[in-house]
Each structure stands twice: as structure tokens, then as C-alpha cells.
Amino acid sequence: WIPFARSKGKQEMSRRIPRLLWCAAVICSVTAATHHAAADNDSPAAVIGDVVADLRFKDIRGLVRSASELGSHQATVLVFVTSDCPLVKRVMPKLCELDAAYRERGVQMVAVNVGASDTLKDMAAQAIEFEASFPFVKDEGLAAATRLGISRTPEAAVLDSQWQLVYRGRIDDQDRLGGARPEPTRRDLAMALNELLDGMPVSVATTPVDGCLI
């Protein structure tokens, strides 16, 4: 899939496509390998401070790859989504803004699809709809969600450069299933990233998440 196809010129697309396809391939494979790790080791859900180094992904070609193939990043943000959750639709523009704001600071954003009926085509359509330039992947069997203790969408898990889980929770406190504030009073994910990138402990490492149950 090419999430920016509608808005980018052919020259820009030709420059970015190889990188994005590679990223998508690497990231997608987190799911399958996590499933094997959970099955083989019966790993409990990670808690804050745990190193989640066993994450692997199944890429768009069906190949299993290690998360280390993503390269060195200050933070990896896995945001769990579906194509039909109304809160996911509300926060997707925010994820695109966060990706643009933090990409050059060494943050890798990933959308992890956990929709039971969502297909690869559905994922691609969502990426194109929101003109997202970060990878979308499928968590078949909910292995990654289970390992990271994710229960709702949209919920985020942040891993530091050593694959230590440092944050798990909401994007911000603006959107709820029953309505929304005019503006968020806490931008939790951005605050966690700022503290992590500044070399500080994440002060609020977990938050409640009001969203669609996985």
C-alpha cells in the first residue's frame, strides 16, 4: 500500500516507496513472531519497565522479521487500531501530526490493526484516507496486543531504544465514545514522548483508555 498516493507526485513517490515498503514489511512482522513467542513461552502481558525484545512481525510478503530490523530509534510507538472504531477515526489525524512532529527526533510510529474482520485492503484504505506516511500492519491472533497488555482501540504502547515498555495508554483525553472535549486537557502520548526524548522517566506511564474493546 502507498498511504500518500493521492497527495504526492510521482518523483516523491518513487523516492519514498522503497523505504515505506521496507518499513511496512518489517513492522507487519511484529505480529506473527509475537504470536509464536506467546505460544512458545506463554509470556504474560508486559508491565511498565519490561523489555519486550521478543516482538517480531509478519510482513506484507508473509516473511517473519525481527523488530531490530526497524533500525535504531529513540522510541517506537505502536498504536492499536481498527477501521471501524469511531475513536480511531477521530484520532488518526492526530497520529499523522505526531508522526510528522517526532519522526525527525527518532520516533517510529506504527499503526497495528486488530480488527477481526479488517483485511489488508481495509488497512490500506484507512492509510490512504488519512494520508498516513507511517506503516499499517495486521496483528493476526492479537499476539502483539496480548503481549503488550492492550485492550482497546486506539491505545498506544511506547518502547524506548532498548525495547523497554515505558508508556501504555491513550493518545490524549479529548475523545470519548460518548462525546469529546473542545480541546484536550492532557496530551498524554506527546508528553510521554517528550519526557523520554529528554532523557527523563515518563511521569505518567499508564492511563485509562476510553475506546473500542478489542
Side-chain angles (χ1 to χ4, degrees):
W1 53 269
I2 308 302
F4 46 83
R6 294 188 306 173
S7 59
K8 302 294 182 181
K10 291 182 179 179
Q11 182 177 0
E12 181 71 5
M13 286 174 62
S14 64
R15 184 175 67 83
R16 289 195 178 186
I17 285 172
R19 180 181 67 82
L20 285 173
L21 287 178
W22 183 86
C23 282
V26 171
I27 296 166
C28 274
S29 52
V30 175
T31 318
T34 305
H35 174 74
H36 292 311
D40 294 342
N41 304 321
D42 194 25
S43 301
V47 298
I48 298 298
D50 281 356
V51 173
V52 191
D54 58 347
L55 286 179
R56 295 179 181 272
F57 307 84
K58 187 175 183 181
D59 68 22
I60 56 177
R61 301 174 183 85
L63 300 176
V64 176
R65 299 177 183 269
S66 170
S68 63
E69 293 181 67
L70 282 168
S72 178
H73 296 285
Q74 295 300 310
T76 300
V77 182
L78 304 175
V79 182
F80 291 77
V81 303
T82 65
S83 65
D84 58 356
C85 177
L87 262 64
V88 169
K89 295 177 181 180
R90 293 182 209 169
V91 305
M92 193 61 69
K94 299 178 183 181
L95 298 182
C96 294
E97 291 174 1
L98 287 168
D99 176 57
Y102 288 93
R103 186 188 310 138
E104 297 302 320
R105 297 182 66 186
V107 176
Q108 173 69 66
M109 183 80 67
V110 185
V112 184
N113 185 285
V114 290
S117 60
D118 283 345
T119 64
L120 293 177
K121 183 178 179 181
D122 295 327
M123 289 197 308
Q126 188 175 42
I128 292 171
E129 177 185 358
F130 292 99
E131 299 184 345
S133 60
F134 50 87
F136 280 57
V137 303
K138 186 71 177 174
D139 186 10
E140 295 177 353
L142 303 182
T146 301
R147 180 72 184 99
L148 291 168
I150 303 295
S151 61
R152 293 178 181 268
T153 61
E155 186 168 0
V158 178
L159 305 173
D160 68 10
S161 60
Q162 304 302 312
W163 302 102
Q164 185 179 47
L165 180 64
V166 296
Y167 176 78
R168 180 175 55 222
R170 63 196 177 194
I171 311 304
D172 58 38
D173 67 352
Q174 181 176 15
D175 299 297
R176 304 187 64 181
L177 288 174
R181 305 175 190 269
E183 294 290 337
T185 63
R186 280 188 57 87
R187 292 177 169 82
D188 301 272
L189 178 56
M191 293 170 68
L193 288 173
N194 288 337
E195 290 175 335
L196 175 62
L197 295 173
D198 288 342
M200 302 167 57
V202 176
S203 56
V204 180
T206 61
T207 71
V209 178
D210 187 5
C212 304
L213 279 171
I214 297 176

Short mmCIF file of all heavy atoms in Angstrom, two decimals, residues 27-72:
data_model
loop_
_atom_site.label_atom_id
_atom_site.label_comp_id
_atom_site.label_asym_id
_atom_site.label_seq_id
_atom_site.Cartn_x
_atom_site.Cartn_y
_atom_site.Cartn_z
N ILE A 27 7.63 -4.00 10.03
CA ILE A 27 6.73 -3.77 11.14
C ILE A 27 5.61 -4.79 11.15
O ILE A 27 5.22 -5.28 12.20
CB ILE A 27 6.17 -2.36 11.07
CG1 ILE A 27 7.32 -1.39 11.24
CG2 ILE A 27 5.15 -2.12 12.15
CD1 ILE A 27 6.97 0.01 10.88
N CYS A 28 5.09 -5.10 9.99
CA CYS A 28 3.99 -6.07 9.95
C CYS A 28 4.39 -7.36 10.62
O CYS A 28 3.57 -8.05 11.18
CB CYS A 28 3.58 -6.35 8.51
SG CYS A 28 2.38 -5.20 7.87
N SER A 29 5.67 -7.71 10.54
CA SER A 29 6.06 -8.99 11.06
C SER A 29 6.07 -9.07 12.57
O SER A 29 6.18 -10.13 13.13
CB SER A 29 7.43 -9.39 10.53
OG SER A 29 8.36 -8.41 10.73
N VAL A 30 5.87 -7.93 13.28
CA VAL A 30 5.82 -7.98 14.75
C VAL A 30 4.77 -8.96 15.21
O VAL A 30 4.94 -9.67 16.16
CB VAL A 30 5.43 -6.63 15.37
CG1 VAL A 30 5.28 -6.76 16.87
CG2 VAL A 30 6.45 -5.62 15.05
N THR A 31 3.68 -8.95 14.54
CA THR A 31 2.52 -9.70 14.98
C THR A 31 2.75 -11.19 15.02
O THR A 31 2.51 -11.83 16.04
CB THR A 31 1.37 -9.40 14.03
OG1 THR A 31 1.38 -8.03 13.74
CG2 THR A 31 0.06 -9.77 14.62
N ALA A 32 3.20 -11.74 13.90
CA ALA A 32 3.32 -13.18 13.82
C ALA A 32 4.34 -13.71 14.80
O ALA A 32 4.10 -14.69 15.48
CB ALA A 32 3.70 -13.60 12.41
N ALA A 33 5.49 -13.03 14.88
CA ALA A 33 6.51 -13.53 15.76
C ALA A 33 6.11 -13.40 17.20
O ALA A 33 6.46 -14.21 18.02
CB ALA A 33 7.81 -12.81 15.53
N THR A 34 5.40 -12.31 17.53
CA THR A 34 4.91 -12.17 18.89
C THR A 34 3.97 -13.32 19.22
O THR A 34 3.96 -13.84 20.33
CB THR A 34 4.16 -10.84 19.05
OG1 THR A 34 5.04 -9.80 18.63
CG2 THR A 34 3.77 -10.59 20.48
N HIS A 35 3.15 -13.72 18.24
CA HIS A 35 2.24 -14.84 18.43
C HIS A 35 3.02 -16.10 18.76
O HIS A 35 2.68 -16.84 19.68
CB HIS A 35 1.40 -15.04 17.17
CG HIS A 35 0.53 -16.26 17.24
ND1 HIS A 35 -0.61 -16.30 18.01
CD2 HIS A 35 0.64 -17.47 16.65
CE1 HIS A 35 -1.18 -17.49 17.88
NE2 HIS A 35 -0.44 -18.22 17.06
N HIS A 36 4.11 -16.36 18.02
CA HIS A 36 4.91 -17.55 18.27
C HIS A 36 5.55 -17.48 19.65
O HIS A 36 5.62 -18.47 20.37
CB HIS A 36 5.98 -17.70 17.20
CG HIS A 36 5.42 -18.01 15.86
ND1 HIS A 36 4.50 -19.01 15.64
CD2 HIS A 36 5.63 -17.43 14.65
CE1 HIS A 36 4.18 -19.06 14.37
NE2 HIS A 36 4.84 -18.10 13.74
N ALA A 37 6.05 -16.27 20.01
CA ALA A 37 6.69 -16.13 21.32
C ALA A 37 5.70 -16.38 22.43
O ALA A 37 5.99 -17.05 23.42
CB ALA A 37 7.29 -14.72 21.46
N ALA A 38 4.48 -15.83 22.30
CA ALA A 38 3.46 -16.03 23.32
C ALA A 38 3.08 -17.48 23.42
O ALA A 38 2.86 -18.02 24.51
CB ALA A 38 2.24 -15.16 23.00
N ALA A 39 2.96 -18.13 22.27
CA ALA A 39 2.55 -19.52 22.26
C ALA A 39 3.63 -20.41 22.87
O ALA A 39 3.35 -21.34 23.62
CB ALA A 39 2.25 -19.97 20.83
N ASP A 40 4.92 -20.12 22.51
CA ASP A 40 6.01 -20.98 22.98
C ASP A 40 6.33 -20.74 24.44
O ASP A 40 6.66 -21.67 25.17
CB ASP A 40 7.26 -20.72 22.13
CG ASP A 40 7.04 -21.15 20.68
OD1 ASP A 40 6.11 -21.94 20.43
OD2 ASP A 40 7.81 -20.69 19.81
N ASN A 41 6.28 -19.50 24.88
CA ASN A 41 6.73 -19.15 26.22
C ASN A 41 5.60 -18.83 27.17
O ASN A 41 5.84 -18.61 28.35
CB ASN A 41 7.69 -17.96 26.14
CG ASN A 41 8.86 -18.22 25.21
OD1 ASN A 41 9.38 -19.33 25.18
ND2 ASN A 41 9.25 -17.22 24.44
N ASP A 42 4.38 -18.75 26.66
CA ASP A 42 3.23 -18.37 27.48
C ASP A 42 3.54 -17.08 28.22
O ASP A 42 3.32 -16.96 29.42
CB ASP A 42 2.87 -19.50 28.44
CG ASP A 42 1.49 -19.29 29.06
OD1 ASP A 42 0.66 -18.60 28.45
OD2 ASP A 42 1.25 -19.82 30.17
N SER A 43 4.07 -16.11 27.50
CA SER A 43 4.52 -14.86 28.11
C SER A 43 3.35 -14.07 28.68
O SER A 43 2.34 -13.89 28.00
CB SER A 43 5.25 -14.00 27.08
OG SER A 43 6.36 -14.69 26.57
N PRO A 44 3.46 -13.59 29.91
CA PRO A 44 2.40 -12.73 30.45
C PRO A 44 2.45 -11.37 29.80
O PRO A 44 3.44 -10.99 29.17
CB PRO A 44 2.78 -12.64 31.94
CG PRO A 44 4.27 -12.80 31.95
CD PRO A 44 4.59 -13.77 30.84
N ALA A 45 1.37 -10.61 29.97
CA ALA A 45 1.33 -9.26 29.44
C ALA A 45 2.43 -8.43 30.09
O ALA A 45 2.67 -8.52 31.30
CB ALA A 45 -0.03 -8.63 29.68
N ALA A 46 3.11 -7.65 29.29
CA ALA A 46 4.20 -6.82 29.80
C ALA A 46 3.67 -5.75 30.74
O ALA A 46 2.55 -5.25 30.59
CB ALA A 46 4.94 -6.16 28.64
N VAL A 47 4.48 -5.38 31.71
CA VAL A 47 4.19 -4.26 32.59
C VAL A 47 5.22 -3.18 32.30
O VAL A 47 6.25 -3.43 31.66
CB VAL A 47 4.25 -4.66 34.08
CG1 VAL A 47 3.19 -5.71 34.39
CG2 VAL A 47 5.63 -5.19 34.46
N ILE A 48 4.94 -1.98 32.76
CA ILE A 48 5.87 -0.87 32.52
C ILE A 48 7.25 -1.22 33.09
O ILE A 48 7.37 -1.66 34.23
CB ILE A 48 5.34 0.43 33.16
CG1 ILE A 48 4.00 0.82 32.53
CG2 ILE A 48 6.36 1.55 33.01
CD1 ILE A 48 4.06 1.11 31.05
N GLY A 49 8.25 -1.03 32.26
CA GLY A 49 9.61 -1.37 32.65
C GLY A 49 10.10 -2.66 32.06
O GLY A 49 11.31 -2.91 32.03
N ASP A 50 9.19 -3.51 31.57
CA ASP A 50 9.60 -4.76 30.95
C ASP A 50 10.26 -4.50 29.60
O ASP A 50 9.85 -3.60 28.85
CB ASP A 50 8.39 -5.68 30.72
CG ASP A 50 7.97 -6.40 31.98
OD1 ASP A 50 8.64 -6.25 33.02
OD2 ASP A 50 6.94 -7.11 31.93
N VAL A 51 11.26 -5.28 29.29
CA VAL A 51 11.86 -5.27 27.96
C VAL A 51 11.09 -6.26 27.10
O VAL A 51 10.97 -7.44 27.44
CB VAL A 51 13.35 -5.64 28.02
CG1 VAL A 51 13.92 -5.78 26.61
CG2 VAL A 51 14.12 -4.59 28.81
N VAL A 52 10.56 -5.76 26.00
CA VAL A 52 9.77 -6.60 25.10
C VAL A 52 10.60 -6.82 23.84
O VAL A 52 10.29 -6.32 22.76
CB VAL A 52 8.41 -5.94 24.78
CG1 VAL A 52 7.49 -6.92 24.07
CG2 VAL A 52 7.74 -5.44 26.06
N ALA A 53 11.67 -7.57 24.01
CA ALA A 53 12.62 -7.76 22.92
C ALA A 53 12.24 -8.89 21.99
O ALA A 53 12.91 -9.12 20.99
CB ALA A 53 14.01 -8.01 23.50
N ASP A 54 11.19 -9.63 22.33
CA ASP A 54 10.82 -10.79 21.52
C ASP A 54 9.81 -10.45 20.44
O ASP A 54 9.31 -11.35 19.76
CB ASP A 54 10.28 -11.91 22.41
CG ASP A 54 9.06 -11.47 23.23
OD1 ASP A 54 8.80 -10.25 23.29
OD2 ASP A 54 8.39 -12.34 23.81
N LEU A 55 9.48 -9.19 20.27
CA LEU A 55 8.50 -8.81 19.26
C LEU A 55 9.03 -9.09 17.86
O LEU A 55 10.15 -8.69 17.52
CB LEU A 55 8.13 -7.33 19.37
CG LEU A 55 7.24 -6.91 20.54
CD1 LEU A 55 7.01 -5.42 20.49
CD2 LEU A 55 5.91 -7.66 20.52
N ARG A 56 8.22 -9.74 17.07
CA ARG A 56 8.53 -9.98 15.67
C ARG A 56 7.28 -9.71 14.86
O ARG A 56 6.17 -9.69 15.39
CB ARG A 56 9.03 -11.41 15.45
CG ARG A 56 10.35 -11.70 16.13
CD ARG A 56 10.78 -13.13 15.89
NE ARG A 56 12.03 -13.41 16.57
CZ ARG A 56 13.23 -13.20 16.04
NH1 ARG A 56 13.33 -12.71 14.82
NH2 ARG A 56 14.32 -13.47 16.72
N PHE A 57 7.47 -9.50 13.56
CA PHE A 57 6.36 -9.08 12.71
C PHE A 57 6.28 -9.92 11.45
O PHE A 57 7.31 -10.34 10.92
CB PHE A 57 6.54 -7.61 12.32
CG PHE A 57 6.74 -6.68 13.49
CD1 PHE A 57 7.99 -6.50 14.04
CD2 PHE A 57 5.67 -5.99 14.04
CE1 PHE A 57 8.19 -5.66 15.12
CE2 PHE A 57 5.86 -5.14 15.11
CZ PHE A 57 7.12 -4.97 15.65
N LYS A 58 5.09 -10.10 10.98
CA LYS A 58 4.88 -10.73 9.69
C LYS A 58 4.66 -9.64 8.66
O LYS A 58 3.75 -8.83 8.78
CB LYS A 58 3.68 -11.67 9.73
CG LYS A 58 3.50 -12.49 8.47
CD LYS A 58 2.36 -13.48 8.64
CE LYS A 58 2.22 -14.34 7.41
NZ LYS A 58 1.10 -15.31 7.54
N ASP A 59 5.52 -9.62 7.64
CA ASP A 59 5.44 -8.52 6.68
C ASP A 59 4.41 -8.80 5.59
O ASP A 59 3.76 -9.85 5.57
CB ASP A 59 6.82 -8.20 6.11
CG ASP A 59 7.38 -9.29 5.23
OD1 ASP A 59 6.61 -10.11 4.70
OD2 ASP A 59 8.61 -9.33 5.05
N ILE A 60 4.27 -7.87 4.67
CA ILE A 60 3.25 -7.98 3.63
C ILE A 60 3.56 -9.09 2.64
O ILE A 60 2.70 -9.47 1.85
CB ILE A 60 3.10 -6.65 2.87
CG1 ILE A 60 4.45 -6.20 2.29
CG2 ILE A 60 2.52 -5.58 3.78
CD1 ILE A 60 4.37 -4.94 1.46
N ARG A 61 4.78 -9.64 2.71
CA ARG A 61 5.14 -10.77 1.86
C ARG A 61 5.01 -12.10 2.60
O ARG A 61 5.35 -13.15 2.05
CB ARG A 61 6.57 -10.61 1.34
CG ARG A 61 6.78 -9.34 0.53
CD ARG A 61 8.24 -9.17 0.18
NE ARG A 61 8.47 -7.92 -0.53
CZ ARG A 61 8.67 -6.76 0.05
NH1 ARG A 61 8.66 -6.68 1.37
NH2 ARG A 61 8.88 -5.67 -0.65
N GLY A 62 4.58 -12.03 3.87
CA GLY A 62 4.45 -13.24 4.66
C GLY A 62 5.73 -13.66 5.35
O GLY A 62 5.80 -14.74 5.92
N LEU A 63 6.75 -12.80 5.33
CA LEU A 63 8.03 -13.12 5.95
C LEU A 63 8.05 -12.65 7.40
O LEU A 63 7.53 -11.58 7.72
CB LEU A 63 9.18 -12.45 5.19
CG LEU A 63 9.33 -12.86 3.72
CD1 LEU A 63 10.45 -12.05 3.08
CD2 LEU A 63 9.61 -14.35 3.60
N VAL A 64 8.67 -13.43 8.27
CA VAL A 64 8.81 -13.06 9.68
C VAL A 64 10.14 -12.35 9.87
O VAL A 64 11.18 -12.85 9.48
CB VAL A 64 8.72 -14.29 10.59
CG1 VAL A 64 8.96 -13.91 12.05
CG2 VAL A 64 7.37 -14.97 10.44
N ARG A 65 10.09 -11.18 10.48
CA ARG A 65 11.29 -10.38 10.70
C ARG A 65 11.36 -9.93 12.15
O ARG A 65 10.35 -9.81 12.82
CB ARG A 65 11.30 -9.15 9.78
CG ARG A 65 11.30 -9.50 8.30
CD ARG A 65 11.23 -8.24 7.47
NE ARG A 65 11.16 -8.53 6.04
CZ ARG A 65 12.22 -8.64 5.24
NH1 ARG A 65 13.43 -8.52 5.76
NH2 ARG A 65 12.06 -8.89 3.96
N SER A 66 12.57 -9.63 12.60
CA SER A 66 12.77 -9.14 13.94
C SER A 66 12.52 -7.65 14.01
O SER A 66 12.79 -6.91 13.05
CB SER A 66 14.20 -9.45 14.39
OG SER A 66 14.50 -8.78 15.60
N ALA A 67 12.03 -7.21 15.15
CA ALA A 67 11.80 -5.77 15.34
C ALA A 67 13.10 -4.99 15.24
O ALA A 67 13.09 -3.81 14.90
CB ALA A 67 11.14 -5.53 16.69
N SER A 68 14.22 -5.64 15.52
CA SER A 68 15.51 -4.95 15.43
C SER A 68 15.80 -4.48 14.01
O SER A 68 16.60 -3.58 13.80
CB SER A 68 16.63 -5.86 15.91
OG SER A 68 16.74 -7.01 15.09
N GLU A 69 15.14 -5.09 13.02
CA GLU A 69 15.34 -4.69 11.64
C GLU A 69 14.75 -3.32 11.34
O GLU A 69 15.00 -2.75 10.27
CB GLU A 69 14.75 -5.73 10.70
CG GLU A 69 15.46 -7.07 10.74
CD GLU A 69 14.85 -8.07 9.77
OE1 GLU A 69 14.95 -7.85 8.55
OE2 GLU A 69 14.26 -9.05 10.24
N LEU A 70 13.98 -2.79 12.26
CA LEU A 70 13.48 -1.43 12.11
C LEU A 70 14.62 -0.42 12.18
O LEU A 70 14.48 0.71 11.73
CB LEU A 70 12.48 -1.11 13.21
CG LEU A 70 11.07 -1.66 13.05
CD1 LEU A 70 10.29 -1.50 14.35
CD2 LEU A 70 10.36 -0.95 11.91
N GLY A 71 15.73 -0.82 12.77
CA GLY A 71 16.84 0.10 12.96
C GLY A 71 16.80 0.73 14.34
O GLY A 71 15.97 0.39 15.18
N SER A 72 17.70 1.65 14.55
CA SER A 72 17.82 2.30 15.85
C SER A 72 16.90 3.50 15.93
O SER A 72 16.95 4.41 15.10
CB SER A 72 19.27 2.75 16.06
OG SER A 72 19.41 3.42 17.29
#
